[in-house]
Amino acid sequence: MTRAANMQALTNDVKRAFPGVVVYGIGDKAHQSRASDHNEDDTSGSRAAQSDPDGHPEHRAIDIMLGPKFTKADADALVVRLVADPKARARLYYVIWDGYIWSRSNGWKKTKYTGSDQHRDHVHGSGWAADDENTASWPAVAKPVVTKGDDMSVKASQAIEAWAVGDPSVEPVKWRLRDEAWQKKTDATLAAVLAASKGLDTAGILARINEVAQAETERDAALAELVRRAGTGELSAEQVVDELAKRMQA
């Protein structure tokens, strides 16, 4: 019983990232009664959902089981990373997790899953048959490592985009990084422009710009804290979305 090299590579990376996690592959009797990527192709009587022309029996689906070594927060984060990464999506057929499906057919958008098994206790990943022989690693599996000196803007914007927007094709939000040098340069430039414009309250306009900059700085700090709490498992993906919705309504 052979797993496609593409999905074996994913299995290996998942096990490295989450030592002790349980990953299943070959289908049980329930899967064997219907077409499924858990069933091996090129096998008499087996109902594989996909097939390739190599003539070698192989299955191309894995189930990453929840447990002490792979929590719901881990599953939430892993799915976010996989469906947000174009290279990972190119190697996948679809992903099912916690009542939702992301697939090629729905443009990798988070869609309510209507199957009888809502996949509450495991992440299901089906590999793309055309990529069966791909033995490369899956960088999206690795947990992001954040150090104190890291610029959080890109990491945070990518996480927020994936969770809140739900469309990995959308460019990440570009956060504004405010500092004293930026403020002085902006103020000087605007002051020079506005000074040449008669009838305008230069001081008032600059004061308003400062107010907006301060508000955006506070918002960026709040969003960074939100991403930190999500990364540590304090908040689930659903809770992050709820918090973002509250901020958008404020």
Side-chain angles (χ1 to χ4, degrees), residues 83-85 89 102 106-110 158 160-172:
V83 301
D85 180 15
R89 296 198 304 269
W102 297 257
N106 68 17
W108 297 104
K109 294 181 180 179
K110 184 178 181 179
Q158 288 174 339
I160 290 171
E161 176 270 325
W163 283 327
V165 180
D167 183 358
S169 67
V170 177
E171 285 293 321

Side-chain angles (χ1 to χ4, degrees), residues 183 186-188 190-191 194 201-211:
Q183 193 69 62
T186 301
D187 286 354
L190 289 173
L194 293 174
D201 180 3
T202 304
I205 292 174
L206 289 175
R208 177 56 181 156
I209 290 173
N210 288 336
E211 290 177 6

